[in-house]
Amino acid sequence: MPGKNVSKAGPLSPDEVVLREELRANVQKLAGEIGERNMWHYTQLNAAADFIEDSFSRAGLRSRRDSYEIRGQTCHNIEAEISGSRPESIVIGAHYDSVFGSPGANDNGTGMAATLALARRFASAKPKHTLRFVAFVNEEPPYFLSGEMGSLVYAGRCKAHGDKIFAMISLETIGYFSDAPNSQTYPSPGLGLFYPKIGNFIGFVSNVHSRALLRRVIALFRKHAKIPSEGASLPAFIPGVSWSDQWSFWQHGYPAIMVTDTAPFRYPYYHSSNDTPDKLDYDRFTLVVSGMEKVIQELDK
Ligand SMILES: [Zn+2]
């Protein structure tokens, strides 16, 4: 259909059209085919882990399962590493579980789909820093912000190994956009005075400690990306700021940021059974991911 590839955010390049179809297929696999995936749907959780491992492998990457147990059931973070020559690494990650009662297309089929697509795009790169693409298990409640949260287990092991991580990027719910008036809300009324009321942008969020990384990433993103962006480094107690895997890295002193469409402050199907693949805006989702590809390339310089 003419004009179908043209989003209000800017047209997709031929390469981005390929990326969009890869993202769409990944979301469809996770949320459309496998569906709800968590400790109550353990077979599906493991099917998602198998799909992620297989996807890394098809990209030519060897992955490693970083496993732990919860009440006798094994859970897996999955990591694919592209070695660099410098001692510091960049971690790009997303959680692959979905909240109870939801197929999790946007939360977080999108973040996981993006992590897999980015890994494929860097698979034959020769980066200066080691790039790690990580799929985290058990981000959603009741594991959320607990010792059994996959990313907290992973970040703790990084710390114990003495890993030097200079940037962690958490991709969390990045596929929903709206041009409707007042489609964007905020965790506190004060923030609404400073930020747009239309949910057509991608958000970058960090705690105060990771502000330098946040500013750098936003500057790089704006240099290349064809979609509006907003950034905020805020105290971690403000609702939403800590709500994903970047929090786990903060607990161990690593700089980390979250890329997000702001989830509950915009997406009408957040944490519901209606968080299905058809709700997403794949063109703008793609522009976020292609922008992040450039960010990672430049962070590595
Ligand atoms: Zn999430």
Side-chain angles (χ1 to χ4, degrees), residues 243-279:
W243 290 358
S244 192
D245 302 303
Q246 72 283 359
W247 172 86
S248 302
F249 288 78
W250 297 340
Q251 303 316 301
H252 291 284
Y254 294 122
I257 66 162
M258 168 170 63
V259 184
T260 181
D261 66 19
T262 76
F265 305 109
R266 176 188 302 174
Y267 186 46
Y269 314 104
Y270 178 70
H271 280 193
S272 88
S273 58
N274 295 318
D275 180 9
T276 47
D278 56 302
K279 306 300 192 310

PDB file of all heavy atoms in Angstrom, residues 243-279:
ATOM      1  N   TRP A 243      11.640   1.090  37.208  1.00  0.00           N
ATOM      2  CA  TRP A 243      10.811  -0.042  36.833  1.00  0.00           C
ATOM      3  C   TRP A 243      11.356  -0.900  35.711  1.00  0.00           C
ATOM      4  O   TRP A 243      10.651  -1.216  34.763  1.00  0.00           O
ATOM      5  CB  TRP A 243       9.398   0.446  36.486  1.00  0.00           C
ATOM      6  CG  TRP A 243       8.638   0.936  37.671  1.00  0.00           C
ATOM      7  CD1 TRP A 243       9.041   0.956  38.963  1.00  0.00           C
ATOM      8  CD2 TRP A 243       7.319   1.499  37.659  1.00  0.00           C
ATOM      9  NE1 TRP A 243       8.071   1.500  39.763  1.00  0.00           N
ATOM     10  CE2 TRP A 243       7.003   1.838  38.994  1.00  0.00           C
ATOM     11  CE3 TRP A 243       6.373   1.751  36.644  1.00  0.00           C
ATOM     12  CZ2 TRP A 243       5.780   2.417  39.344  1.00  0.00           C
ATOM     13  CZ3 TRP A 243       5.167   2.328  37.000  1.00  0.00           C
ATOM     14  CH2 TRP A 243       4.878   2.651  38.334  1.00  0.00           C
ATOM     15  N   SER A 244      12.577  -1.297  35.789  1.00  0.00           N
ATOM     16  CA  SER A 244      13.067  -2.354  34.898  1.00  0.00           C
ATOM     17  C   SER A 244      14.491  -2.755  35.266  1.00  0.00           C
ATOM     18  O   SER A 244      14.972  -2.410  36.357  1.00  0.00           O
ATOM     19  CB  SER A 244      12.965  -1.958  33.427  1.00  0.00           C
ATOM     20  OG  SER A 244      13.197  -3.106  32.619  1.00  0.00           O
ATOM     21  N   ASP A 245      15.164  -3.423  34.350  1.00  0.00           N
ATOM     22  CA  ASP A 245      16.434  -4.072  34.660  1.00  0.00           C
ATOM     23  C   ASP A 245      17.600  -3.116  34.907  1.00  0.00           C
ATOM     24  O   ASP A 245      18.609  -3.528  35.469  1.00  0.00           O
ATOM     25  CB  ASP A 245      16.754  -5.066  33.543  1.00  0.00           C
ATOM     26  CG  ASP A 245      15.648  -6.097  33.404  1.00  0.00           C
ATOM     27  OD1 ASP A 245      15.356  -6.770  34.406  1.00  0.00           O
ATOM     28  OD2 ASP A 245      15.041  -6.211  32.321  1.00  0.00           O
ATOM     29  N   GLN A 246      17.466  -1.853  34.492  1.00  0.00           N
ATOM     30  CA  GLN A 246      18.530  -0.887  34.803  1.00  0.00           C
ATOM     31  C   GLN A 246      18.697  -0.752  36.313  1.00  0.00           C
ATOM     32  O   GLN A 246      19.806  -0.570  36.798  1.00  0.00           O
ATOM     33  CB  GLN A 246      18.253   0.485  34.154  1.00  0.00           C
ATOM     34  CG  GLN A 246      17.130   1.316  34.753  1.00  0.00           C
ATOM     35  CD  GLN A 246      15.745   0.827  34.335  1.00  0.00           C
ATOM     36  OE1 GLN A 246      15.628  -0.123  33.581  1.00  0.00           O
ATOM     37  NE2 GLN A 246      14.708   1.469  34.834  1.00  0.00           N
ATOM     38  N   TRP A 247      17.602  -0.888  37.063  1.00  0.00           N
ATOM     39  CA  TRP A 247      17.640  -0.792  38.531  1.00  0.00           C
ATOM     40  C   TRP A 247      18.667  -1.783  39.108  1.00  0.00           C
ATOM     41  O   TRP A 247      19.413  -1.457  40.033  1.00  0.00           O
ATOM     42  CB  TRP A 247      16.239  -1.074  39.091  1.00  0.00           C
ATOM     43  CG  TRP A 247      16.186  -1.191  40.586  1.00  0.00           C
ATOM     44  CD1 TRP A 247      16.048  -0.172  41.488  1.00  0.00           C
ATOM     45  CD2 TRP A 247      16.273  -2.397  41.353  1.00  0.00           C
ATOM     46  NE1 TRP A 247      16.044  -0.675  42.772  1.00  0.00           N
ATOM     47  CE2 TRP A 247      16.183  -2.046  42.720  1.00  0.00           C
ATOM     48  CE3 TRP A 247      16.420  -3.755  41.033  1.00  0.00           C
ATOM     49  CZ2 TRP A 247      16.236  -2.979  43.750  1.00  0.00           C
ATOM     50  CZ3 TRP A 247      16.473  -4.693  42.056  1.00  0.00           C
ATOM     51  CH2 TRP A 247      16.388  -4.304  43.397  1.00  0.00           C
ATOM     52  N   SER A 248      18.674  -2.992  38.557  1.00  0.00           N
ATOM     53  CA  SER A 248      19.567  -4.041  39.072  1.00  0.00           C
ATOM     54  C   SER A 248      21.030  -3.640  38.946  1.00  0.00           C
ATOM     55  O   SER A 248      21.858  -3.957  39.808  1.00  0.00           O
ATOM     56  CB  SER A 248      19.344  -5.336  38.289  1.00  0.00           C
ATOM     57  OG  SER A 248      17.992  -5.730  38.399  1.00  0.00           O
ATOM     58  N   PHE A 249      21.348  -2.938  37.861  1.00  0.00           N
ATOM     59  CA  PHE A 249      22.730  -2.508  37.637  1.00  0.00           C
ATOM     60  C   PHE A 249      23.078  -1.333  38.556  1.00  0.00           C
ATOM     61  O   PHE A 249      24.209  -1.231  39.025  1.00  0.00           O
ATOM     62  CB  PHE A 249      22.953  -2.201  36.152  1.00  0.00           C
ATOM     63  CG  PHE A 249      22.969  -3.472  35.322  1.00  0.00           C
ATOM     64  CD1 PHE A 249      21.780  -4.125  34.991  1.00  0.00           C
ATOM     65  CD2 PHE A 249      24.174  -4.049  34.942  1.00  0.00           C
ATOM     66  CE1 PHE A 249      21.799  -5.321  34.271  1.00  0.00           C
ATOM     67  CE2 PHE A 249      24.204  -5.234  34.221  1.00  0.00           C
ATOM     68  CZ  PHE A 249      23.014  -5.868  33.886  1.00  0.00           C
ATOM     69  N   TRP A 250      22.116  -0.493  38.835  1.00  0.00           N
ATOM     70  CA  TRP A 250      22.346   0.591  39.805  1.00  0.00           C
ATOM     71  C   TRP A 250      22.698   0.009  41.173  1.00  0.00           C
ATOM     72  O   TRP A 250      23.519   0.567  41.898  1.00  0.00           O
ATOM     73  CB  TRP A 250      21.093   1.477  39.952  1.00  0.00           C
ATOM     74  CG  TRP A 250      20.699   2.203  38.715  1.00  0.00           C
ATOM     75  CD1 TRP A 250      21.491   2.473  37.623  1.00  0.00           C
ATOM     76  CD2 TRP A 250      19.402   2.766  38.417  1.00  0.00           C
ATOM     77  NE1 TRP A 250      20.764   3.168  36.680  1.00  0.00           N
ATOM     78  CE2 TRP A 250      19.483   3.368  37.130  1.00  0.00           C
ATOM     79  CE3 TRP A 250      18.186   2.838  39.111  1.00  0.00           C
ATOM     80  CZ2 TRP A 250      18.393   4.014  36.540  1.00  0.00           C
ATOM     81  CZ3 TRP A 250      17.107   3.482  38.521  1.00  0.00           C
ATOM     82  CH2 TRP A 250      17.213   4.067  37.247  1.00  0.00           C
ATOM     83  N   GLN A 251      22.069  -1.103  41.523  1.00  0.00           N
ATOM     84  CA  GLN A 251      22.322  -1.710  42.839  1.00  0.00           C
ATOM     85  C   GLN A 251      23.779  -2.116  42.998  1.00  0.00           C
ATOM     86  O   GLN A 251      24.284  -2.237  44.099  1.00  0.00           O
ATOM     87  CB  GLN A 251      21.430  -2.940  43.078  1.00  0.00           C
ATOM     88  CG  GLN A 251      19.938  -2.679  42.973  1.00  0.00           C
ATOM     89  CD  GLN A 251      19.518  -1.405  43.676  1.00  0.00           C
ATOM     90  OE1 GLN A 251      19.708  -1.241  44.869  1.00  0.00           O
ATOM     91  NE2 GLN A 251      18.963  -0.462  42.910  1.00  0.00           N
ATOM     92  N   HIS A 252      24.458  -2.344  41.860  1.00  0.00           N
ATOM     93  CA  HIS A 252      25.857  -2.761  41.920  1.00  0.00           C
ATOM     94  C   HIS A 252      26.805  -1.668  41.433  1.00  0.00           C
ATOM     95  O   HIS A 252      27.963  -1.938  41.116  1.00  0.00           O
ATOM     96  CB  HIS A 252      26.034  -4.064  41.139  1.00  0.00           C
ATOM     97  CG  HIS A 252      25.346  -5.204  41.837  1.00  0.00           C
ATOM     98  ND1 HIS A 252      25.881  -5.804  42.957  1.00  0.00           N
ATOM     99  CD2 HIS A 252      24.153  -5.803  41.616  1.00  0.00           C
ATOM    100  CE1 HIS A 252      25.042  -6.746  43.385  1.00  0.00           C
ATOM    101  NE2 HIS A 252      23.984  -6.773  42.590  1.00  0.00           N
ATOM    102  N   GLY A 253      26.282  -0.447  41.349  1.00  0.00           N
ATOM    103  CA  GLY A 253      27.135   0.702  41.057  1.00  0.00           C
ATOM    104  C   GLY A 253      27.444   0.931  39.595  1.00  0.00           C
ATOM    105  O   GLY A 253      28.305   1.747  39.262  1.00  0.00           O
ATOM    106  N   TYR A 254      26.764   0.216  38.692  1.00  0.00           N
ATOM    107  CA  TYR A 254      27.023   0.400  37.270  1.00  0.00           C
ATOM    108  C   TYR A 254      26.108   1.489  36.685  1.00  0.00           C
ATOM    109  O   TYR A 254      24.918   1.535  37.025  1.00  0.00           O
ATOM    110  CB  TYR A 254      26.753  -0.906  36.508  1.00  0.00           C
ATOM    111  CG  TYR A 254      27.693  -2.047  36.827  1.00  0.00           C
ATOM    112  CD1 TYR A 254      27.209  -3.268  37.310  1.00  0.00           C
ATOM    113  CD2 TYR A 254      29.065  -1.925  36.606  1.00  0.00           C
ATOM    114  CE1 TYR A 254      28.057  -4.344  37.582  1.00  0.00           C
ATOM    115  CE2 TYR A 254      29.927  -2.993  36.878  1.00  0.00           C
ATOM    116  CZ  TYR A 254      29.416  -4.194  37.366  1.00  0.00           C
ATOM    117  OH  TYR A 254      30.251  -5.251  37.617  1.00  0.00           O
ATOM    118  N   PRO A 255      26.647   2.300  35.757  1.00  0.00           N
ATOM    119  CA  PRO A 255      25.788   3.274  35.085  1.00  0.00           C
ATOM    120  C   PRO A 255      24.816   2.555  34.150  1.00  0.00           C
ATOM    121  O   PRO A 255      25.228   1.696  33.369  1.00  0.00           O
ATOM    122  CB  PRO A 255      26.750   4.154  34.274  1.00  0.00           C
ATOM    123  CG  PRO A 255      28.120   3.675  34.564  1.00  0.00           C
ATOM    124  CD  PRO A 255      28.036   2.365  35.274  1.00  0.00           C
ATOM    125  N   ALA A 256      23.551   2.892  34.236  1.00  0.00           N
ATOM    126  CA  ALA A 256      22.543   2.193  33.441  1.00  0.00           C
ATOM    127  C   ALA A 256      21.384   3.128  33.148  1.00  0.00           C
ATOM    128  O   ALA A 256      21.033   3.975  33.972  1.00  0.00           O
ATOM    129  CB  ALA A 256      22.044   0.956  34.193  1.00  0.00           C
ATOM    130  N   ILE A 257      20.811   2.949  31.970  1.00  0.00           N
ATOM    131  CA  ILE A 257      19.650   3.755  31.587  1.00  0.00           C
ATOM    132  C   ILE A 257      18.560   2.852  31.001  1.00  0.00           C
ATOM    133  O   ILE A 257      18.828   1.716  30.600  1.00  0.00           O
ATOM    134  CB  ILE A 257      20.007   4.835  30.544  1.00  0.00           C
ATOM    135  CG1 ILE A 257      20.425   4.188  29.205  1.00  0.00           C
ATOM    136  CG2 ILE A 257      21.103   5.763  31.048  1.00  0.00           C
ATOM    137  CD1 ILE A 257      20.375   5.138  28.036  1.00  0.00           C
ATOM    138  N   MET A 258      17.366   3.392  30.949  1.00  0.00           N
ATOM    139  CA  MET A 258      16.250   2.667  30.335  1.00  0.00           C
ATOM    140  C   MET A 258      15.755   3.444  29.115  1.00  0.00           C
ATOM    141  O   MET A 258      15.619   4.665  29.172  1.00  0.00           O
ATOM    142  CB  MET A 258      15.119   2.523  31.358  1.00  0.00           C
ATOM    143  CG  MET A 258      13.803   2.037  30.762  1.00  0.00           C
ATOM    144  SD  MET A 258      12.560   1.607  32.024  1.00  0.00           S
ATOM    145  CE  MET A 258      12.263   3.173  32.841  1.00  0.00           C
ATOM    146  N   VAL A 259      15.496   2.703  28.050  1.00  0.00           N
ATOM    147  CA  VAL A 259      14.836   3.260  26.871  1.00  0.00           C
ATOM    148  C   VAL A 259      13.411   2.735  26.908  1.00  0.00           C
ATOM    149  O   VAL A 259      13.204   1.521  27.022  1.00  0.00           O
ATOM    150  CB  VAL A 259      15.540   2.801  25.572  1.00  0.00           C
ATOM    151  CG1 VAL A 259      14.907   3.477  24.352  1.00  0.00           C
ATOM    152  CG2 VAL A 259      17.033   3.082  25.635  1.00  0.00           C
ATOM    153  N   THR A 260      12.414   3.634  26.812  1.00  0.00           N
ATOM    154  CA  THR A 260      11.036   3.186  27.024  1.00  0.00           C
ATOM    155  C   THR A 260      10.024   4.126  26.364  1.00  0.00           C
ATOM    156  O   THR A 260      10.280   5.328  26.247  1.00  0.00           O
ATOM    157  CB  THR A 260      10.733   3.080  28.544  1.00  0.00           C
ATOM    158  OG1 THR A 260       9.394   2.621  28.722  1.00  0.00           O
ATOM    159  CG2 THR A 260      10.905   4.421  29.253  1.00  0.00           C
ATOM    160  N   ASP A 261       8.893   3.551  25.971  1.00  0.00           N
ATOM    161  CA  ASP A 261       7.800   4.420  25.500  1.00  0.00           C
ATOM    162  C   ASP A 261       6.991   4.941  26.698  1.00  0.00           C
ATOM    163  O   ASP A 261       5.947   5.565  26.504  1.00  0.00           O
ATOM    164  CB  ASP A 261       6.920   3.693  24.470  1.00  0.00           C
ATOM    165  CG  ASP A 261       6.144   2.507  25.035  1.00  0.00           C
ATOM    166  OD1 ASP A 261       5.964   2.416  26.265  1.00  0.00           O
ATOM    167  OD2 ASP A 261       5.696   1.658  24.240  1.00  0.00           O
ATOM    168  N   THR A 262       7.482   4.674  27.876  1.00  0.00           N
ATOM    169  CA  THR A 262       6.944   5.087  29.189  1.00  0.00           C
ATOM    170  C   THR A 262       5.818   4.176  29.697  1.00  0.00           C
ATOM    171  O   THR A 262       5.240   4.435  30.748  1.00  0.00           O
ATOM    172  CB  THR A 262       6.452   6.568  29.254  1.00  0.00           C
ATOM    173  OG1 THR A 262       5.175   6.673  28.592  1.00  0.00           O
ATOM    174  CG2 THR A 262       7.449   7.530  28.616  1.00  0.00           C
ATOM    175  N   ALA A 263       5.533   3.108  28.946  1.00  0.00           N
ATOM    176  CA  ALA A 263       4.639   2.037  29.390  1.00  0.00           C
ATOM    177  C   ALA A 263       3.364   2.523  30.080  1.00  0.00           C
ATOM    178  O   ALA A 263       2.488   3.048  29.409  1.00  0.00           O
ATOM    179  CB  ALA A 263       5.429   1.042  30.214  1.00  0.00           C
ATOM    180  N   PRO A 264       3.220   2.417  31.414  1.00  0.00           N
ATOM    181  CA  PRO A 264       1.918   2.697  32.028  1.00  0.00           C
ATOM    182  C   PRO A 264       1.471   4.140  31.848  1.00  0.00           C
ATOM    183  O   PRO A 264       0.294   4.447  32.041  1.00  0.00           O
ATOM    184  CB  PRO A 264       2.141   2.397  33.509  1.00  0.00           C
ATOM    185  CG  PRO A 264       3.590   2.522  33.714  1.00  0.00           C
ATOM    186  CD  PRO A 264       4.229   2.095  32.428  1.00  0.00           C
ATOM    187  N   PHE A 265       2.393   5.025  31.496  1.00  0.00           N
ATOM    188  CA  PHE A 265       2.030   6.442  31.360  1.00  0.00           C
ATOM    189  C   PHE A 265       1.554   6.781  29.945  1.00  0.00           C
ATOM    190  O   PHE A 265       1.305   7.928  29.633  1.00  0.00           O
ATOM    191  CB  PHE A 265       3.208   7.318  31.792  1.00  0.00           C
ATOM    192  CG  PHE A 265       3.667   6.975  33.186  1.00  0.00           C
ATOM    193  CD1 PHE A 265       4.877   6.327  33.411  1.00  0.00           C
ATOM    194  CD2 PHE A 265       2.849   7.243  34.270  1.00  0.00           C
ATOM    195  CE1 PHE A 265       5.271   5.969  34.694  1.00  0.00           C
ATOM    196  CE2 PHE A 265       3.230   6.889  35.561  1.00  0.00           C
ATOM    197  CZ  PHE A 265       4.449   6.246  35.776  1.00  0.00           C
ATOM    198  N   ARG A 266       1.442   5.731  29.114  1.00  0.00           N
ATOM    199  CA  ARG A 266       0.983   5.950  27.745  1.00  0.00           C
ATOM    200  C   ARG A 266       0.160   4.788  27.192  1.00  0.00           C
ATOM    201  O   ARG A 266      -0.858   5.007  26.546  1.00  0.00           O
ATOM    202  CB  ARG A 266       2.202   6.156  26.832  1.00  0.00           C
ATOM    203  CG  ARG A 266       1.832   6.307  25.375  1.00  0.00           C
ATOM    204  CD  ARG A 266       3.046   6.316  24.459  1.00  0.00           C
ATOM    205  NE  ARG A 266       3.999   7.381  24.798  1.00  0.00           N
ATOM    206  CZ  ARG A 266       5.182   7.520  24.207  1.00  0.00           C
ATOM    207  NH1 ARG A 266       5.530   6.697  23.232  1.00  0.00           N
ATOM    208  NH2 ARG A 266       6.026   8.481  24.579  1.00  0.00           N
ATOM    209  N   TYR A 267       0.600   3.568  27.464  1.00  0.00           N
ATOM    210  CA  TYR A 267       0.073   2.399  26.752  1.00  0.00           C
ATOM    211  C   TYR A 267      -1.220   1.888  27.404  1.00  0.00           C
ATOM    212  O   TYR A 267      -1.189   1.438  28.557  1.00  0.00           O
ATOM    213  CB  TYR A 267       1.155   1.310  26.774  1.00  0.00           C
ATOM    214  CG  TYR A 267       0.875   0.069  25.962  1.00  0.00           C
ATOM    215  CD1 TYR A 267       0.391   0.148  24.659  1.00  0.00           C
ATOM    216  CD2 TYR A 267       1.134  -1.193  26.502  1.00  0.00           C
ATOM    217  CE1 TYR A 267       0.170  -0.998  23.915  1.00  0.00           C
ATOM    218  CE2 TYR A 267       0.926  -2.340  25.758  1.00  0.00           C
ATOM    219  CZ  TYR A 267       0.438  -2.236  24.463  1.00  0.00           C
ATOM    220  OH  TYR A 267       0.225  -3.372  23.727  1.00  0.00           O
ATOM    221  N   PRO A 268      -2.344   1.957  26.699  1.00  0.00           N
ATOM    222  CA  PRO A 268      -3.621   1.578  27.332  1.00  0.00           C
ATOM    223  C   PRO A 268      -3.701   0.095  27.695  1.00  0.00           C
ATOM    224  O   PRO A 268      -4.540  -0.283  28.513  1.00  0.00           O
ATOM    225  CB  PRO A 268      -4.668   1.891  26.252  1.00  0.00           C
ATOM    226  CG  PRO A 268      -3.978   2.641  25.168  1.00  0.00           C
ATOM    227  CD  PRO A 268      -2.506   2.425  25.311  1.00  0.00           C
ATOM    228  N   TYR A 269      -2.839  -0.748  27.089  1.00  0.00           N
ATOM    229  CA  TYR A 269      -2.941  -2.200  27.305  1.00  0.00           C
ATOM    230  C   TYR A 269      -1.845  -2.727  28.215  1.00  0.00           C
ATOM    231  O   TYR A 269      -1.596  -3.922  28.275  1.00  0.00           O
ATOM    232  CB  TYR A 269      -2.908  -2.916  25.946  1.00  0.00           C
ATOM    233  CG  TYR A 269      -3.822  -2.261  24.942  1.00  0.00           C
ATOM    234  CD1 TYR A 269      -3.315  -1.457  23.926  1.00  0.00           C
ATOM    235  CD2 TYR A 269      -5.211  -2.396  25.056  1.00  0.00           C
ATOM    236  CE1 TYR A 269      -4.163  -0.813  23.028  1.00  0.00           C
ATOM    237  CE2 TYR A 269      -6.061  -1.754  24.165  1.00  0.00           C
ATOM    238  CZ  TYR A 269      -5.523  -0.966  23.153  1.00  0.00           C
ATOM    239  OH  TYR A 269      -6.362  -0.331  22.274  1.00  0.00           O
ATOM    240  N   TYR A 270      -1.191  -1.812  28.913  1.00  0.00           N
ATOM    241  CA  TYR A 270      -0.076  -2.168  29.801  1.00  0.00           C
ATOM    242  C   TYR A 270      -0.518  -3.230  30.816  1.00  0.00           C
ATOM    243  O   TYR A 270      -1.534  -3.082  31.484  1.00  0.00           O
ATOM    244  CB  TYR A 270       0.415  -0.912  30.520  1.00  0.00           C
ATOM    245  CG  TYR A 270       1.535  -1.146  31.503  1.00  0.00           C
ATOM    246  CD1 TYR A 270       2.808  -1.486  31.073  1.00  0.00           C
ATOM    247  CD2 TYR A 270       1.321  -1.018  32.873  1.00  0.00           C
ATOM    248  CE1 TYR A 270       3.850  -1.695  31.970  1.00  0.00           C
ATOM    249  CE2 TYR A 270       2.348  -1.212  33.785  1.00  0.00           C
ATOM    250  CZ  TYR A 270       3.614  -1.550  33.325  1.00  0.00           C
ATOM    251  OH  TYR A 270       4.624  -1.750  34.220  1.00  0.00           O
ATOM    252  N   HIS A 271       0.268  -4.311  30.899  1.00  0.00           N
ATOM    253  CA  HIS A 271       0.031  -5.397  31.857  1.00  0.00           C
ATOM    254  C   HIS A 271      -1.375  -5.989  31.736  1.00  0.00           C
ATOM    255  O   HIS A 271      -1.944  -6.435  32.746  1.00  0.00           O
ATOM    256  CB  HIS A 271       0.304  -4.933  33.293  1.00  0.00           C
ATOM    257  CG  HIS A 271       1.783  -4.936  33.608  1.00  0.00           C
ATOM    258  ND1 HIS A 271       2.272  -4.806  34.886  1.00  0.00           N
ATOM    259  CD2 HIS A 271       2.863  -5.080  32.816  1.00  0.00           C
ATOM    260  CE1 HIS A 271       3.599  -4.862  34.854  1.00  0.00           C
ATOM    261  NE2 HIS A 271       3.975  -5.008  33.602  1.00  0.00           N
ATOM    262  N   SER A 272      -1.932  -5.998  30.529  1.00  0.00           N
ATOM    263  CA  SER A 272      -3.256  -6.591  30.366  1.00  0.00           C
ATOM    264  C   SER A 272      -3.196  -7.723  29.340  1.00  0.00           C
ATOM    265  O   SER A 272      -2.204  -7.878  28.614  1.00  0.00           O
ATOM    266  CB  SER A 272      -4.271  -5.538  29.917  1.00  0.00           C
ATOM    267  OG  SER A 272      -4.287  -5.437  28.497  1.00  0.00           O
ATOM    268  N   SER A 273      -4.289  -8.484  29.294  1.00  0.00           N
ATOM    269  CA  SER A 273      -4.369  -9.591  28.322  1.00  0.00           C
ATOM    270  C   SER A 273      -4.430  -9.049  26.893  1.00  0.00           C
ATOM    271  O   SER A 273      -4.276  -9.789  25.935  1.00  0.00           O
ATOM    272  CB  SER A 273      -5.598 -10.448  28.615  1.00  0.00           C
ATOM    273  OG  SER A 273      -6.752  -9.627  28.549  1.00  0.00           O
ATOM    274  N   ASN A 274      -4.650  -7.746  26.750  1.00  0.00           N
ATOM    275  CA  ASN A 274      -4.712  -7.122  25.419  1.00  0.00           C
ATOM    276  C   ASN A 274      -3.385  -6.554  24.940  1.00  0.00           C
ATOM    277  O   ASN A 274      -3.357  -5.860  23.920  1.00  0.00           O
ATOM    278  CB  ASN A 274      -5.759  -6.007  25.419  1.00  0.00           C
ATOM    279  CG  ASN A 274      -7.151  -6.564  25.640  1.00  0.00           C
ATOM    280  OD1 ASN A 274      -7.501  -7.596  25.075  1.00  0.00           O
ATOM    281  ND2 ASN A 274      -7.931  -5.909  26.484  1.00  0.00           N
ATOM    282  N   ASP A 275      -2.312  -6.830  25.678  1.00  0.00           N
ATOM    283  CA  ASP A 275      -0.989  -6.391  25.201  1.00  0.00           C
ATOM    284  C   ASP A 275      -0.524  -7.378  24.121  1.00  0.00           C
ATOM    285  O   ASP A 275       0.322  -8.238  24.355  1.00  0.00           O
ATOM    286  CB  ASP A 275      -0.005  -6.306  26.372  1.00  0.00           C
ATOM    287  CG  ASP A 275       1.388  -5.862  25.930  1.00  0.00           C
ATOM    288  OD1 ASP A 275       1.556  -5.450  24.760  1.00  0.00           O
ATOM    289  OD2 ASP A 275       2.321  -5.937  26.765  1.00  0.00           O
ATOM    290  N   THR A 276      -1.128  -7.246  22.938  1.00  0.00           N
ATOM    291  CA  THR A 276      -0.919  -8.189  21.836  1.00  0.00           C
ATOM    292  C   THR A 276      -0.168  -7.510  20.682  1.00  0.00           C
ATOM    293  O   THR A 276      -0.143  -6.276  20.595  1.00  0.00           O
ATOM    294  CB  THR A 276      -2.286  -8.713  21.349  1.00  0.00           C
ATOM    295  OG1 THR A 276      -3.168  -7.596  21.185  1.00  0.00           O
ATOM    296  CG2 THR A 276      -2.894  -9.676  22.364  1.00  0.00           C
ATOM    297  N   PRO A 277       0.417  -8.314  19.776  1.00  0.00           N
ATOM    298  CA  PRO A 277       1.291  -7.742  18.732  1.00  0.00           C
ATOM    299  C   PRO A 277       0.612  -6.713  17.833  1.00  0.00           C
ATOM    300  O   PRO A 277       1.278  -5.832  17.288  1.00  0.00           O
ATOM    301  CB  PRO A 277       1.709  -8.982  17.924  1.00  0.00           C
ATOM    302  CG  PRO A 277       1.630 -10.118  18.895  1.00  0.00           C
ATOM    303  CD  PRO A 277       0.467  -9.793  19.786  1.00  0.00           C
ATOM    304  N   ASP A 278      -0.705  -6.794  17.657  1.00  0.00           N
ATOM    305  CA  ASP A 278      -1.400  -5.871  16.753  1.00  0.00           C
ATOM    306  C   ASP A 278      -1.492  -4.443  17.301  1.00  0.00           C
ATOM    307  O   ASP A 278      -1.886  -3.527  16.580  1.00  0.00           O
ATOM    308  CB  ASP A 278      -2.810  -6.397  16.472  1.00  0.00           C
ATOM    309  CG  ASP A 278      -3.590  -6.613  17.762  1.00  0.00           C
ATOM    310  OD1 ASP A 278      -3.116  -7.383  18.627  1.00  0.00           O
ATOM    311  OD2 ASP A 278      -4.656  -5.996  17.940  1.00  0.00           O
ATOM    312  N   LYS A 279      -1.169  -4.246  18.578  1.00  0.00           N
ATOM    313  CA  LYS A 279      -1.295  -2.911  19.171  1.00  0.00           C
ATOM    314  C   LYS A 279      -0.091  -2.020  18.876  1.00  0.00           C
ATOM    315  O   LYS A 279      -0.117  -0.825  19.163  1.00  0.00           O
ATOM    316  CB  LYS A 279      -1.442  -3.014  20.703  1.00  0.00           C
ATOM    317  CG  LYS A 279      -2.559  -3.911  21.176  1.00  0.00           C
ATOM    318  CD  LYS A 279      -3.899  -3.437  20.683  1.00  0.00           C
ATOM    319  CE  LYS A 279      -5.049  -4.149  21.372  1.00  0.00           C
ATOM    320  NZ  LYS A 279      -4.966  -5.622  21.405  1.00  0.00           N
TER     321      LYS A 279
END
